[in-house]
Amino acid sequence: MIVRPIIEVKNLTKRYAGHTAVSNLTFEVGRGEVVGLLGPNGAGKSTTMRILACFLPATSGTARVAGYDVFAEADQVRRRIGYMPENNPLHLDMRVRDYLRFRARLKGLTRRRSRLRTEVVMERCGLKDVDRKIIGHLSKGYRQRVGLADALVHEPELIILDEPTIGLDPHQIRQVRQLIKDLARNHSVLISTHILSEVEMTCSRVLIMQQGRVLAADTTQNLQQIMSDGGQVIAEIAATTEDLRACWEQMAEVEHFNIAPAEGSYQRCALTPRGSFDLRPLVYEQARLRGWPLRELSRSLHSLEDIFVHVTRAQGDGEGEEGR
Amino acid sequence: MQAYLTLVRRELGGYFNSLTGYVIIASVLLLLGFSFTDMLVKLNATPTYVPLTELFYSSYYFWLILLLTAPIITMRTFALEKFSGTYETLMTAPVGDLQVVLAKFTGTLLFYLLTWLPLLGCMVVVRYYTGEATLLEPRTTLTTYLGILLIGGLYMAFGCFASALTRSQIIAAMIGFALGLTLFLLSLRSYMPAPPTDWGAKVFAYIAVGDHMESFVRGIVDTRPVVFYLTVTGFFLFLTLKVVESRRWK
């Protein structure tokens, strides 16, 4: 039997009066995956999530969660997802335990089960010591955990978190990330964020969005791999500028280079290869042949940040050309 | 059903978790206190066999309380949730739009009835100290409360509708107040002299909430006003439902 993906989105479009928030979006999320939706503010991440959570209807296209259509079978979908909206809205006048029990009952759990699940999620999210406190009196980090606990309380198959670490201090961010990582063991998770390191740390796969489109979708390792093809090589060699220039000019594999003086008698060379060629062995070979001291030889591996900037900028340039 | 009851409980709880509920109850108590002293003054001045409910109604505090508290009670129902964002968590839970509307309406109506309980206390006190049985008949008391319930239901429906339109509680209260006041002022037109054949006069007589309440406090239950209140309440709840559903039309 083929296991259906937990999220199937096909040609999803959402237009508001005047502008298109999501345009012809297609992607899938498999069961047990942790997928990050990455994009600048206004890229359409929240809109996509709201459609998946059955809060907003799509203008066209289909979205299915666990095989159920988000518009026609909204009730089935809602039972299967735990959704935490942006800014994590909570009833600030309620106590933590009362709130979670209220949410559990609202989501259709029996009295017994809601009591049990409330205790379980409070334990899991570290809320045991504040269970009697009024939510409005809690710190932002604790509130975030209450939001997460609410998303978990009915044991959903899919958890959708819209910017779960926004506005938290670094210590709280780390705690929330750890929680998300723990969730990944037995839930599918879709997270949106514009913080790149977050995706690198928590997600197995990333969808980069801009202006309502998916620009790149792959595992974080693959994206890094793709980007580092054609990556620059940095070499610090003790030789005269003229010798180095002559050497790089005669190497057919070098597209262009840049030589700058470094401390001591060393020169720092940045070499860009032609195509996806790894220059490191050649550079080493040259240095050995000519007897040049070599103290650094590295190939830059791109961080997700570079990939993000690269992909979104390329898109921006393309748009500019269309306009001309 | 479970979701409905859970929401009604939450709705009622909301009044008592925040100061709003206590402030409303305190204000109503103050106004009821004024009407109570008025009642005592009247009773001391001239001996009467008129039921206390009628005596209370003749002081017009009823309308003051209804017109002022109804928008305040209902303004938070949808507007507050939209403003704080909890509307999104509510509407992504497995509950139907109709359940949400009915639960909010029931919650406000129950709270509204609660604010009217002290009136019963006032009347019991007068009845106890005067020892006059005709002052407090169970029948007229019951019909008075039926009137309070029916008119209150209509005003709560006005308020819920107003609250669903906006994310600002102030604007919700103003719209609710305007709707309520309009109906009250229109009902005053039935007192104006007009030929009985005039169709306008007939319409105003039909919607004359003041006349309706006057019959209720006298112990008369006419089916026409009952039908009027039930249908208009139903209509405004239907409008509220459509406003709630309208986010899917955009």
Side-chain angles (χ1 to χ4, degrees):
Chain A
M1 198 182 96
I2 305 158
V3 181
R4 288 193 81 149
I6 189 87
I7 303 179
E8 303 160 87
V9 172
K10 269 203 199 94
N11 307 323
L12 194 74
T13 299
K14 174 73 189 175
R15 266 189 288 275
Y16 292 109
H19 85 286
T20 307
V22 173
S23 149
N24 214 7
L25 193 69
T26 302
F27 69 89
E28 281 186 0
V29 173
R31 282 180 195 268
E33 263 192 310
V34 181
V35 173
L37 268 184
L38 185 63
N41 294 333
K45 295 167 293 182
S46 292
T47 306
T48 309
M49 293 186 144
R50 283 177 163 184
I51 294 171
L52 286 173
C54 314
F55 184 66
L56 288 177
T59 311
S60 66
T62 57
R64 290 178 164 273
V65 171
Y68 295 98
D69 187 273
V70 293
F71 192 68
E73 295 156 304
D75 208 53
Q76 292 294 333
V77 173
R78 287 174 184 173
R79 280 176 205 286
R80 285 170 173 78
I81 56 171
Y83 171 53
M84 186 170 109
E86 208 175 350
N87 302 325
N88 183 29
L90 299 165
H91 290 294
L92 298 182
D93 56 341
M94 292 179 94
R95 292 178 199 280
V96 173
R97 177 178 271 125
D98 296 342
Y99 176 71
L100 291 174
R101 213 173 275 174
F102 155 69
R103 293 290 299 172
R105 289 289 285 162
L106 196 60
K107 290 169 179 182
L109 271 61
T110 61
R111 210 175 290 273
R112 249 179 86 98
R113 186 109 192 96
S114 66
R115 203 169 302 148
L116 188 79
R117 283 297 301 166
T118 301
E119 298 308 314
V120 170
V121 292
M122 281 202 303
E123 182 76 57
R124 192 151 179 201
C125 299
L127 289 166
K128 277 280 183 191
D129 45 336
V130 294
D131 65 332
R132 296 282 305 147
K133 285 227 170 98
I134 291 170
I135 296 173
H137 298 169
L138 292 178
S139 71
K140 210 155 179 182
Y142 270 117
R143 286 189 204 181
Q144 213 70 8
R145 293 196 221 170
V146 175
L148 274 171
D150 167 32
L152 292 176
V153 76
H154 57 306
E155 294 179 282
E157 293 170 40
L158 171 69
I159 295 166
I160 299 179
L161 308 171
D162 199 350
E163 311 233 347
T165 56
I166 202 162
L168 298 182
D169 70 36
H171 189 63
Q172 296 167 330
I173 288 181
R174 204 174 280 189
Q175 290 173 339
V176 169
R177 275 186 196 149
Q178 191 53 49
L179 257 171
I180 295 170
K181 270 190 185 168
D182 293 345
L183 292 183
R185 286 189 206 125
N186 34 21
H187 299 273
S188 312
V189 185
L190 182 67
I191 301 180
S192 85
T193 180
H194 58 254
I195 303 162
L196 299 134
S197 52
E198 192 157 295
V199 174
E200 262 176 319
M201 273 180 242
T202 50
C203 304
S204 55
R205 210 152 65 83
V206 57
L207 301 166
I208 299 179
M209 278 185 85
Q210 198 191 23
Q211 291 172 341
R213 289 162 216 274
V214 168
L215 301 183
D218 215 327
T219 60
T220 40
Q221 287 96 327
N222 274 358
L223 279 175
Q224 284 173 344
Q225 196 63 49
I226 292 164
M227 281 298 292
S228 50
D229 284 347
Q232 252 188 358
V233 167
I234 301 289
E236 281 199 11
I237 296 168
T240 62
T241 319
E242 291 73 38
D243 287 347
L244 287 168
R245 192 183 298 276
C247 176
W248 305 142
E249 271 170 0
Q250 68 172 29
M251 265 170 74
E253 293 85 356
V254 176
E255 170 98 40
H256 61 85
F257 59 86
N258 183 30
I259 300 168
E263 323 90 82
S265 55
Y266 283 88
Q267 303 284 338
R268 192 174 174 87
C269 310
L271 309 167
T272 309
R274 213 178 284 283
S276 59
F277 203 85
D278 190 355
L279 288 174
R280 285 174 300 182
L282 290 176
V283 172
Y284 171 71
E285 191 64 23
Q286 288 296 326
R288 198 176 57 86
L289 278 175
R290 293 167 198 242
W292 292 337
L294 175 70
R295 73 172 180 192
E296 188 190 325
L297 183 59
S298 63
R299 187 165 181 239
S300 55
L301 195 69
H302 288 261
S303 69
L304 206 49
E305 191 155 324
D306 298 323
I307 301 171
F308 179 69
V309 170
H310 178 84
V311 171
T312 52
R313 193 173 47 209
Q315 176 73 9
D317 292 349
E319 301 253 313
E321 274 156 29
E322 269 169 39
R324 258 172 245 152
Chain B
M1 197 60 189
Q2 179 187 325
Y4 168 76
L5 290 176
T6 310
L7 279 174
V8 171
R9 233 184 102 179
R10 156 68 203 148
E11 210 48 44
L12 269 178
Y15 290 107
F16 297 107
N17 286 348
S18 69
L19 219 54
T20 350
Y22 298 104
V23 171
I24 296 171
I25 291 177
S27 326
V28 173
L29 264 179
L30 179 73
L31 291 172
L32 280 177
F34 278 130
S35 80
F36 179 65
T37 46
D38 274 15
M39 239 189 304
L40 291 185
V41 170
K42 269 185 203 165
L43 278 173
N44 281 334
T46 45
T48 175
Y49 292 101
V50 174
L52 279 177
T53 48
E54 204 177 328
L55 215 54
F56 160 72
Y57 180 72
S58 66
S59 66
Y60 277 94
Y61 276 102
F62 171 78
W63 289 105
L64 193 62
I65 292 171
L66 179 71
L67 287 173
L68 288 181
T69 59
I72 307 289
I73 291 175
T74 51
M75 68 180 185
R76 50 175 287 146
T77 46
F78 290 95
L80 179 63
E81 297 233 30
K82 281 185 183 177
F83 180 76
S84 70
T86 48
Y87 192 59
E88 203 168 332
T89 47
L90 172 64
M91 291 324 233
T92 50
V95 285
D97 293 350
L98 181 66
Q99 272 179 320
V100 172
V101 172
L102 287 181
K104 299 241 171 222
F105 171 72
T106 315
T108 55
L109 191 59
L110 287 178
F111 180 77
Y112 163 82
L113 286 178
L114 201 68
T115 62
W116 278 108
L117 280 184
L119 174 64
L120 203 61
C122 291
M123 295 198 270
V124 168
V125 167
V126 178
R127 160 76 183 78
Y128 181 79
Y129 285 103
T130 55
E132 195 63 61
T134 52
L135 281 180
L136 194 65
E137 287 174 354
R139 188 187 140 81
T140 51
T141 313
L142 216 64
T143 55
T144 304
Y145 270 89
L146 178 69
I148 288 174
L149 171 72
L150 285 173
I151 297 181
L154 176 58
Y155 274 70
M156 294 303 124
F158 281 162
C160 288
F161 170 66
S163 189
L165 290 175
T166 171
R167 37 184 286 132
S168 154
Q169 290 195 68
I170 305 286
I171 294 176
M174 288 193 292
I175 298 174
F177 181 70
L179 283 171
L181 192 65
T182 307
L183 181 65
F184 177 69
L185 292 178
L186 283 179
S187 85
L188 292 183
R189 298 197 59 147
S190 66
Y191 295 118
M192 287 183 183
T197 49
D198 186 21
W199 65 268
K202 279 184 191 158
V203 171
F204 287 127
Y206 186 62
I207 63 165
V209 284
D211 288 355
H212 299 163
M213 195 58 201
E214 224 171 299
S215 346
F216 283 128
V217 294
R218 287 196 183 127
I220 304 160
V221 180
D222 187 349
T223 48
R224 279 172 302 175
V226 173
V227 170
F228 168 75
Y229 289 118
L230 291 181
T231 48
V232 181
T233 304
F235 178 66
F236 270 88
L237 289 180
F238 171 76
L239 287 184
T240 313
L241 178 65
K242 290 296 141 188
V243 173
V244 170
E245 281 175 357
S246 71
R247 85 197 134 84
R248 290 170 202 261
W249 306 341
K250 284 169 195 154

